[in-house]
Each structure stands twice: as structure tokens, then as C-alpha cells.
Amino acid sequence: MQGGGPARELKAERRLVFQEQREGVQHDRSWKDQGNEQTGFLESGKNSSRKGVRTKSSEKAASDDHSVPVARDEVREGCPPLGLETLKITDFQLHASTSKRYGLGAHRGRLNIQAGINENDFYDGAWCAGRNDLHQWIEVDARRLTKFTGVITQGRNSLWLSDWVTSYKVMVSNDSHTWVTVKNGSGDMIFEGNSEKEIPVLNELPVPMVARYIRINPRSWFDNGSICMRMEILGCPLPDPNNYYHRRNEMTTTDDLDFKHHNYKEMRQLMKVVNEMCPNITRIYNIGKSHQGLKLYAVEISDHPGEHEVGEPEFHYMAGAHGNEVLGRELMLLLLQFLCQEYLAGNPRIVHLVEETRIHILPSLNPDGYEKAYEGGSELGGWSLGRWTHDGIDINNNFPDLNTLLWEAEDRQNLPRKVPNHYIAIPEWFLSENATVAVETRAVIAWMEKIPFVLGGNLQGGELVVAYPYDMVRSLWKTQEHSPTPDDHVFRWLAYSYASTHRLMTDARRRVCHTEDFQKEDGTVNGASWHTVAGSLNDFSYLHTNCFELSIYVGCDKYPHESELPEEWENNRESLIVFMEQVHRGIKGMVRDAHGKGIPNAIISVEGVNHDIRTASDGDYWRLLNPGEYVVTAKAEGFTSSTKNCMVGYDMGATRCDFTLSKTNLARIREIMEKFGKQPVSLPARRLKLRGRKRRQRGGRANT
């Protein structure tokens, strides 16, 4: 992104200092933490306090001419997941003895895969064998020699059925014909499986086995169910420079960042390191506290941190509303480091972004939930551990439902009273202490009311798509319906700007994460056409503030293994930057009075778009628009309105469109009379007073 010479040397020097600062943080961690960082999966996989987590200790391994065990002193070296959940393992690498039907084929036997609402033939929630007998199996072709160390299993994801495997054998092979069963002593080892369908269970092999193929052979299953399972395989691929397939699919990053999972203390420490490295452009603050009292930390990045600069738009990213959707949180921490490093290195694109935008990054909105998920670990938390706040609330759907207020008023033609198309007030019941509202939700609302955000993205996980409002269907009794906002074309562009620059979102060859194929809209979706949600953050932001908010689902795996973070960063890095740059699209300007003073709370209307925005406290505004010519009107109480034609071009950078408003005659009269301590008299009262005086005068003449 930048040339050589002094700039490159400066960048290298700055990164070296950053690395030293970061290592100072790591040295503060306990020896155990450092050891866990080295052993990857064992950081979480050996947490035997997690319910449902079982590990088998390494006992004697049987000697077998065909077996391929690894030396005993390597047993405790942990290996990461092969990637069934992350889709690194393709459908073509999964095979099974039999399947009930296509939707329950081997390709559906992935850890945490979710069934469709109808659990239909194409998208069901596990691999299920066609027969219930001891000859069934599911296998993975790693496509290269791999040191296998463990297996994680789940039952079938289903609302209606209870299917899981309670015990199984493990076999390995180099050619898929000759198989070696994992032994324990002199006999085949039987691994204990699941006792219900959702909690993942880890079993470590007594000694690691080197092979290309690994096969799971169910030996028993739930009495009233069938042979069904989802799984993940732990293994370390062995070096193979001749393997073209592997080299073609390798992903590396050149960014020197801290690629690890950070608990609450480590997150705060990393923020501190970034702040110390870039004190002139960063500021750490908090927007409130969680239910458990953890501060909700945010980092501001700006050339004048701590103040709103007139004419400069405000942008935010937030992540972790669902505490177990961890990838977004780590991407935010990586973005903080990246922006600091690139600014110090003089990267012109980043320097321009920082100097022209006030950026706010809130990595963990639900730290209580995250700590629960962190205890479970990246593979063992299941689909929902840590999703909700400590008091069981889903933050993402915990905002006031303003859609219904607006739509009901429109259906009644705004009778008996008109509801504005923007800045809709929060209902009184929602503000009461007895309302079921998370303290984290209230903190976000206060934050968004205080800062005039123009654009925002909330990062989520479990899918790979960008969702834009409305998130709630307008028709009663429907669960899915396209529900566009008046700014639908703008939202579509904003969503596409992220999806199209992501490495995978718009890839037509990409396998769907679970059940939804978003390729027909290029990796984007209207939230309500996907599934309806009342009280979403996106809808609330659009109807209560100036901010256009979108939900960015950054990966199929909510909580990827630490080893996946460099690749996930590469997948999302360009998109994260491009999306921030979109805050500079459309029109911007000042609304002033005749004396040049900014008018706060002035309304900016665009002809043909039934959604207004308002000026900030200094009279500045930003209105996101796609390229085109627009008729724009500015109006404020006590002022005559002003209308202009404003042109938005295709080049990046908002078009300047300023307004000067004159006071109305009545407002001028009131201002003059107040200046001299007199109150203006309303016209009807003045007329009555004059009539009374005339009557008295006529009565006096008659008496004389």
C-alpha cells in the first residue's frame, strides 16, 4: 500500500516498537496462558470443568504393524480443527456408508451446522445413516498426511427429533481401503459420545495417529433415535511441499498483528498498548457497564480524539452483541492495531481516513456473555453458550419497536396525530425501570443519542452475509417478507460495498454456511426477507437517529480457532476499510442563520425519499445518498425553509451543500420584543382589545 525508501523503513521501525510493546503485555500473562497460546486447541479443549466436555487420557497404545502412532512425548501437543465447521473441508472430502436422504448426507455432518426451519431434504441438521446398525461410518479425507489428535461430536440439530450417537470407534487409513482402529491396550477403543444433541463432546486419541483418512464408526446411539452426528476433527497437517492442492489453498498475512483470542483483561490491555503507540489519534472510553459490572470499552480513532469536529462525519463499528460470536470482536481488535500501525507508517489511505473521519470501535458489547463462551472455548461452546446477556436478554433484538409506531400511523394517515418519518421518540414504557431492557442496550441507546453517527456496522457471526433494514416485516403474521426502507438503494449499496470486497461473500462457488444461499443478491440480504425481528438495532438506529446501521455476518464459524484468525483477517480487512470510507458518500454541509451561526436540529429532506435527517448541535449534517441529482430542503422552527439542487458524483467524497435560513417575520418580531422585555401579543387578542377600546369610545360619545 506504500512505496519503499524512508516510509518503508519507518513502518518497519514502528512495527518493531509495536511488537515490543505487545510482548510486554504477553509477558504479564501467567505461564499457563503462554503455554496455552503455544498449544492452540488445548487452550480450551482441556477445560474439564465445562459441562459435556470429556477427554480421554493417553494410556497404552497397542502395537500394530499397520498402526501409525506418534511418539509418546508428542501426545500432549494440541492440534487445531481441520475445518469442517469453517468449511475448509469441502463437501467432496466427506463420505459416509449410507444416508437417510440428501439433506442428511455426509456433507451435513459438520459441527454446529443448523437445520432449516422445515428441516427439508436439502438442508437438515446432521449426517444420518440410512440404517441403524454397527456397519455405518462417516469419514474425512484430509487430502494429505495429517496427525490426528481428537474428535468432537454433536447430535442432530432438530426442533422435533432426538438423534445422537452415544459411543463410537475411530479408524485411520492412508488409502481408504486398509483401516487401522484406534486401540486402547489390546482392544479397540470405544469412545464415549453424546448424552444430548447440542453440547459438543471432545475425545482425544490416546496417541496421535498419522494418516490421510479418518473414519468414525458409531457403536451405540440414543434408544429412541437414529444414528445421526455432527463432528469436527482435530489434526495437524504434515508439511508437504509437493502437495499442489494444499499450497493453492494456503492463506497467509503480512500484517504483524496479535492473532489470538483476548479475554476481557487482555482486550483492555491491548487497547492500552494501541493507545500508547498512537496517543495522538486514539482515546479509550466506556459507554457504560454490563450486568456483571464490566465496562463497555470503546476506542476512538481521530486526529482530534475527544471532540466532534464540525463537518467531520462520525462512524462506528460494534461487535459482540452476542457474546459467543467472537470473530467480530477479534476483527475489531485487529483493526485497531492495523489503523495505528498504518497511520504511523504514513499509509496515505489510512491517514486520510483517520484525519477526515471520527471512528469509534466497540469490540465487546456483551462481555458477560463472551466470558462464558471463552470458558467453553472455540470448539466446545456449542451454538449458543454465551449468546445472551447475564440476565438472559438478546441485545440485538432488545431495542424499542419503532416500526410499528410509524407503520400504524401511516396506515391511519397520521390520525389522530402525525408520527415523523425520523427521530421517532422512544415509548414511555420502554424507559421505565420495570421494562425488560438490558443495561447494555440502554448504554448503546445513550451512546447513539449522544454522538451524531452517520454510518455504523455491527459485526455478528454464524453466517456470511450483510443484512440491511428493515429487519421487521410490515405485514402481520408473516415471518419473511421484503421490507425496504425509503433509503433501500443506499442500503443496498452499503451492503454491497462490504460484501463485494470480502474474499468469500460474493464467491458463487462458495458452499452455503447452513441453509441460506445469499448469492442471488451478491452476499447481501434485506433483514426481513431473511427472518423477521422486532426491535432490532438496525431498525431502531434508522428510525430514532441519523445513523444508517447494517449487520455484517463475518463468518460461518461464530468462534473460530485461534489458528484461523490470520485468514479471517485477510478475508475481512479490505471490506472493513471500504465500509468505513462509505461514510463520505452523499451530501454534507452546514445549516446556518443569517449571522453565520449553525442551527441545530434543522431537518434535511430529500425530495422523493420519505426519510429525513437532522443537523447536529453545531449545525452540520451528513446525508448518505447514491450518485445522482437531488432536490434538498433544509427547514427549522422559526426559519423560512430553503431548497437547493445537490449533485452527488461517483468519486469518493461527499458533495458540499450548505444552507442559510432566514428567520420568519413572526420569529423576528418575537425576537425584537423579547429584546426589549415585551411579550408579543397574539393577533386575535390584539383585535379583541382594539374592539373593546372602540366600543368604549363610542359609548363615551353617546353619553355626551
Side-chain angles (χ1 to χ4, degrees), residues 610-638:
N610 187 27
H611 181 79
D612 304 332
I613 58 108
R614 300 200 183 196
T615 58
S617 57
D618 296 303
D620 46 351
Y621 78 92
W622 308 263
R623 182 48 163 106
L624 296 176
L625 293 167
N626 285 343
E629 186 174 355
Y630 298 91
V631 178
V632 184
T633 300
K635 54 189 175 183
E637 187 176 352

Side-chain angles (χ1 to χ4, degrees), residues 42-54:
L42 299 185
E43 171 184 18
S44 57
K46 291 185 180 178
N47 186 349
S48 58
S49 64
R50 259 290 286 131
K51 181 181 179 183
V53 177
R54 303 185 187 91

Side-chain angles (χ1 to χ4, degrees), residues 650-664:
Y650 286 89
D651 295 335
M652 186 61 69
T655 301
R656 187 91 191 190
C657 209
D658 295 325
F659 295 88
T660 300
L661 304 186
S662 302
K663 286 186 179 291
T664 60

Side-chain angles (χ1 to χ4, degrees), residues 225-269:
S226 303
I227 296 177
C228 294
M229 66 189 310
R230 295 173 285 169
M231 66 178 186
E232 181 65 83
I233 305 297
L234 307 183
C236 297
L238 300 184
D240 184 3
N242 298 318
N243 190 319
Y244 169 73
Y245 175 84
H246 174 70
R247 284 186 284 112
R248 185 185 65 181
N249 288 279
E250 274 186 335
M251 169 55 63
T252 58
T253 181
T254 58
D255 294 324
D256 181 23
L257 307 174
D258 194 16
F259 293 106
K260 69 177 294 292
H261 288 299
H262 299 79
N263 61 24
Y264 181 80
K265 182 179 178 181
E266 291 167 338
M267 177 188 74
R268 176 67 180 87
Q269 191 65 36

Side-chain angles (χ1 to χ4, degrees), residues 82-144:
L82 290 189
L84 276 78
E85 183 175 8
T86 62
L87 306 184
K88 264 191 168 182
I89 296 296
T90 69
D91 289 353
F92 300 107
Q93 293 174 260
L94 298 170
H95 308 279
S97 52
T98 60
S99 300
K100 276 191 175 180
R101 49 187 168 81
Y102 177 78
L104 294 169
H107 65 292
R108 301 297 293 176
R110 300 172 180 272
L111 190 72
N112 286 322
I113 204 164
Q114 301 295 293
I117 296 174
N118 300 319
E119 300 184 21
N120 56 34
D121 189 47
F122 287 101
Y123 302 114
D124 220 315
W127 161 68
C128 290
R131 299 185 299 273
N132 290 337
D133 60 43
L134 300 179
H135 303 293
Q136 304 305 309
W137 49 262
I138 180 172
E139 72 180 41
V140 179
D141 176 5
R143 286 184 171 164
R144 61 186 297 184

Side-chain angles (χ1 to χ4, degrees), residues 308-313 452 546 588-591 598-602 604 613-622 656:
H308 170 71
E309 295 180 70
V310 176
E312 187 170 286
N546 287 340
K588 67 177 183 180
M590 292 287 299
V591 179
I599 302 174
N601 220 33
I604 305 295
I613 58 108
R614 300 200 183 196
T615 58
S617 57
D618 296 303
D620 46 351
Y621 78 92
W622 308 263
R656 187 91 191 190

Side-chain angles (χ1 to χ4, degrees), residues 198-377:
E198 289 298 336
I199 298 177
V201 173
L202 164 68
N203 278 291
E204 292 179 300
L205 304 187
V207 292
M209 305 289 282
V210 173
R212 172 175 167 172
Y213 300 88
I214 185 168
R215 178 178 284 186
I216 310 301
N217 168 221
R219 307 306 292 175
S220 62
W221 45 93
F222 181 55
D223 288 342
N224 298 319
S226 303
I227 296 177
C228 294
M229 66 189 310
R230 295 173 285 169
M231 66 178 186
E232 181 65 83
I233 305 297
L234 307 183
C236 297
L238 300 184
D240 184 3
N242 298 318
N243 190 319
Y244 169 73
Y245 175 84
H246 174 70
R247 284 186 284 112
R248 185 185 65 181
N249 288 279
E250 274 186 335
M251 169 55 63
T252 58
T253 181
T254 58
D255 294 324
D256 181 23
L257 307 174
D258 194 16
F259 293 106
K260 69 177 294 292
H261 288 299
H262 299 79
N263 61 24
Y264 181 80
K265 182 179 178 181
E266 291 167 338
M267 177 188 74
R268 176 67 180 87
Q269 191 65 36
L270 181 61
M271 289 179 173
K272 185 179 178 183
V273 170
V274 172
N275 179 240
E276 289 173 352
M277 281 300 302
C278 296
N280 295 328
I281 63 165
T282 61
R283 176 178 71 98
I284 303 171
Y285 66 101
N286 73 80
I287 68 167
K289 290 183 178 181
S290 71
H291 187 275
Q292 291 289 85
L294 299 179
K295 291 181 179 179
L296 307 178
Y297 283 112
V299 177
E300 175 191 344
I301 302 176
S302 168
D303 56 342
H304 291 87
E307 61 180 274
H308 170 71
E309 295 180 70
V310 176
E312 187 170 286
E314 309 248 4
F315 174 93
H316 74 251
Y317 273 130
M318 66 177 84
H322 298 146
N324 64 329
E325 293 170 9
V326 174
L327 178 56
R329 169 192 175 110
E330 294 305 329
L331 288 175
M332 292 295 92
L333 296 179
L334 292 168
L335 181 62
L336 287 175
Q337 300 170 64
F338 179 79
L339 292 176
C340 174
Q341 285 185 4
E342 296 300 307
Y343 183 87
L344 293 177
N347 182 333
R349 182 186 185 189
I350 301 303
V351 170
H352 181 266
L353 183 64
V354 170
E355 291 181 349
E356 299 299 323
T357 320
R358 191 181 182 205
I359 302 165
H360 303 257
I361 296 177
L362 177 65
S364 187
L365 180 55
N366 180 9
D368 297 347
Y370 173 81
E371 292 301 306
K372 287 182 183 177
Y374 186 79
E375 290 174 11

